[in-house]
Amino acid sequence: MAAIALYSDAFWISPWVFSCFVGLREKALPFEVAEVALHKKEQLQGGYAGSTLTGRVPALRHGDFWLAESSAILEYLEEAFPPPGHPRLLPEGLTDRARARQLLSWMRSDETLPIRHERSSETLFYPGSPVRPLSANAQGAAAKLYEVAGRFLPRDDASVFGSWSIVDAELAFLLHRLIAGGDAVPEPLRRYAGAQWLRPSVAQYVAHARVPFVRYF
Ligand SMILES: N[C@@H](CCC(=O)N[C@@H](CS)C(=O)NCC(=O)O)C(=O)O
């Protein structure tokens, strides 16, 4: 099989790298992680920007093929290593798969941006990172997240679709931003996010050793 590499930020805090890392682990594919020091603008140096077109992380290299954008990477992995020969990242049923794509897209949308902006991902992995009270705008975004998640979650504490999918990892990441910020996340969602953090593919990313954080954005 052609070698696979996942290009990550050096602090292991990118939600988009997280999702691709979890996807690769869930597919049980051998891969290496190559760190790109965004704080040193390494993404703009060498051939990285040219190979990825956009010069961002994550990027996937599969043999000679380079691909950036986490959603494109996840879709590529699902097609290049499809179920049933490989574990699935998206649910089995057509309508569940469509729903999963809806939720993945929504979780990356403008409606959750205030949460991502005010609950930056380093707060999940670098205890003691400064956290301010949410603005009214971000409180509204969090309330909408709780409302939306409450509509589809959970049939059980384990997964949105009855068996694990990448939606669970991404939803848990979003909820953990608020949990880490000390925000009033409803108990069922808090329990669900806690359970997701124990999944081996996820726990491996969360527990990865991290060098001291340097703010670069
Ligand atoms: N939509 C992209 C977002 C990727 C992204 O925001 N990457 C950030 C790190 S989390 C980055 O590469 N920042 C450095 C830059 O843009 O120069 C995806 O889903 O992959």
Side-chain angles (χ1 to χ4, degrees), residues 14-16 38 43-44 55-58 69-71 108 216:
S14 165
W16 322 116
L38 302 180
Q43 73 275 29
L44 308 177
R56 310 192 89 191
V57 298
E69 286 293 318
S70 57
S71 49
R108 287 151 199 257
Y216 58 93

Coordinates of all heavy atoms in Angstrom, one line a residue, residues 14-16 38 43-44 55-58 69-71 108 216, ligand 1:
S14 N -5.4 21.3 16.3 CA -6.3 21.7 15.2 C -7.5 20.7 15.2 O -7.3 19.5 15.1 CB -5.6 21.6 13.9 OG -6.5 21.5 12.8
P15 N -8.7 21.2 15.3 CA -9.9 20.3 15.2 C -10.0 19.6 13.9 O -10.5 18.5 13.9 CB -11.1 21.3 15.4 CG -10.5 22.6 15.0 CD -9.1 22.6 15.3
W16 N -9.4 20.2 12.9 CA -9.5 19.6 11.6 C -8.5 18.4 11.4 O -8.8 17.4 10.8 CB -9.3 20.6 10.5 CG -10.0 21.9 10.9 CD1 -9.4 23.1 11.1 CD2 -11.4 22.1 11.2 NE1 -10.3 24.1 11.5 CE2 -11.6 23.5 11.6 CE3 -12.5 21.3 11.1 CZ2 -12.8 24.0 11.9 CZ3 -13.8 21.9 11.5 CH2 -13.9 23.2 11.8
L38 N 3.2 25.9 12.2 CA 2.4 27.1 11.7 C 3.0 28.4 12.3 O 2.9 29.4 11.7 CB 0.9 26.9 12.0 CG 0.3 25.7 11.5 CD1 -1.2 25.6 11.9 CD2 0.4 25.5 10.0
Q43 N 4.1 26.4 6.8 CA 3.1 26.0 5.8 C 3.3 26.7 4.5 O 2.8 26.4 3.4 CB 1.7 26.1 6.3 CG 1.1 27.5 6.5 CD 1.5 28.2 7.8 OE1 2.6 27.8 8.4 NE2 0.7 29.1 8.2
L44 N 4.1 27.9 4.6 CA 4.3 28.7 3.4 C 5.6 28.4 2.7 O 6.0 29.0 1.7 CB 4.2 30.2 3.7 CG 2.9 30.6 4.5 CD1 3.0 32.1 4.9 CD2 1.7 30.3 3.7
G55 N -1.9 25.4 1.4 CA -0.9 25.7 2.4 C -1.5 25.7 3.8 O -1.1 26.6 4.6
R56 N -2.4 24.8 4.1 CA -3.0 24.7 5.4 C -2.9 23.3 6.0 O -2.6 22.4 5.2 CB -4.5 25.1 5.4 CG -4.8 26.4 4.7 CD -6.2 26.9 4.9 NE -6.2 27.7 6.1 CZ -7.3 28.2 6.7 NH1 -8.5 27.8 6.2 NH2 -7.3 28.9 7.7
V57 N -3.1 23.1 7.3 CA -3.2 21.8 7.8 C -4.7 21.6 8.2 O -5.3 22.6 8.6 CB -2.3 21.6 9.0 CG1 -0.8 21.7 8.7 CG2 -2.6 22.5 10.2
P58 N -5.2 20.4 8.1 CA -4.4 19.2 7.8 C -4.2 19.0 6.3 O -4.9 19.6 5.5 CB -5.4 18.0 8.3 CG -6.7 18.6 8.1 CD -6.6 20.1 8.4
E69 N -7.9 20.1 3.3 CA -9.3 20.3 3.7 C -9.8 19.0 4.3 O -10.0 18.0 3.6 CB -10.2 20.7 2.5 CG -10.0 22.2 2.1 CD -10.4 23.2 3.1 OE1 -11.5 23.0 3.8 OE2 -9.7 24.2 3.3
S70 N -10.1 19.1 5.6 CA -10.4 17.9 6.4 C -11.6 17.2 5.8 O -11.6 16.0 5.8 CB -10.7 18.3 7.8 OG -11.7 19.3 7.9
S71 N -12.7 17.9 5.4 CA -13.8 17.2 4.9 C -13.5 16.4 3.6 O -14.0 15.3 3.4 CB -15.0 18.1 4.7 OG -14.6 19.2 4.0
R108 N -19.3 23.0 11.0 CA -18.2 23.9 10.5 C -18.7 25.3 10.0 O -18.0 26.0 9.5 CB -17.6 23.2 9.3 CG -16.7 22.0 9.6 CD -16.7 21.0 8.5 NE -16.3 19.7 9.0 CZ -15.1 19.2 8.9 NH1 -14.2 19.8 8.1 NH2 -14.8 18.0 9.4
Y216 N -0.1 31.7 17.8 CA 0.2 32.1 16.4 C -0.9 32.6 15.6 O -0.8 32.8 14.4 CB 0.9 30.9 15.7 CG 0.1 29.7 15.6 CD1 -0.7 29.4 14.5 CD2 0.1 28.7 16.7 CE1 -1.5 28.3 14.4 CE2 -0.7 27.6 16.6 CZ -1.5 27.4 15.5 OH -2.2 26.2 15.4
Ligands
LIG1 N1 -11.4 24.3 6.3 C1 -10.1 23.8 6.7 C2 -9.6 24.5 7.9 C3 -8.1 24.3 8.1 C4 -7.5 25.3 9.0 O1 -8.2 26.2 9.5 N2 -6.2 25.1 9.3 C5 -5.5 26.0 10.1 C6 -5.0 25.3 11.4 S1 -6.4 24.8 12.4 C7 -4.2 26.5 9.4 O2 -3.7 25.7 8.6 N3 -3.8 27.7 9.6 C8 -2.6 28.2 9.0 C9 -2.9 29.0 7.8 O3 -4.0 29.2 7.4 O4 -1.9 29.6 7.3 C10 -10.2 22.3 7.0 O5 -11.3 21.8 7.3 O6 -9.2 21.5 6.8

